[in-house]
Amino acid sequence: IKYDEIKDLFSERELQIIKMICKEDKSKEIADKLFINVRTVETHRKNVMERCGAKNIIGVILFAIKSGIITVDEL
């Protein structure tokens, strides 16, 4: 998947949340850092998992690394 396709697939907020998930931030931590509700984070997580075709959050992390959303060095 090319970066342009990633930009079409996910919003900027979702990309932000994907990176935070990859860095092991919990939903509450993400919500606090982004000044949004925990339920909003959970909704973003669910949507991201569906778009990645992931069965769990590990699948999202693998997708993020394979597609270049985040590099191993950034973790």
Side-chain angles (χ1 to χ4, degrees):
I1 295 178
K2 295 178 183 157
Y3 191 71
D4 291 345
E5 294 172 23
I6 295 295
K7 299 283 272 179
D8 292 339
L9 193 59
F10 302 105
S11 69
E12 283 299 318
R13 178 65 86 189
E14 287 168 336
L15 288 171
Q16 215 175 6
I17 289 172
I18 290 170
K19 289 178 182 181
M20 295 173 90
I21 288 168
C22 290
K23 292 179 181 180
E24 300 183 57
D25 286 350
K26 293 177 174 56
S27 292
K28 173 83 170 101
E29 294 170 322
I30 294 170
D32 290 346
K33 289 177 184 177
L34 299 179
F35 305 103
I36 59 177
N37 193 294
V38 175
R39 278 173 113 70
T40 305
V41 174
E42 293 297 334
T43 300
H44 282 307
R45 287 172 72 117
K46 183 174 96 28
N47 293 339
V48 162
M49 283 177 59
E50 286 175 11
R51 288 197 210 117
C52 288
K55 296 177 185 172
N56 55 42
I57 216 64
I58 301 298
V60 172
I61 294 167
L62 291 172
F63 178 88
I65 293 169
K66 287 179 185 176
S67 63
I69 292 172
I70 195 164
T71 64
V72 175
D73 292 339
E74 292 176 279
L75 299 176

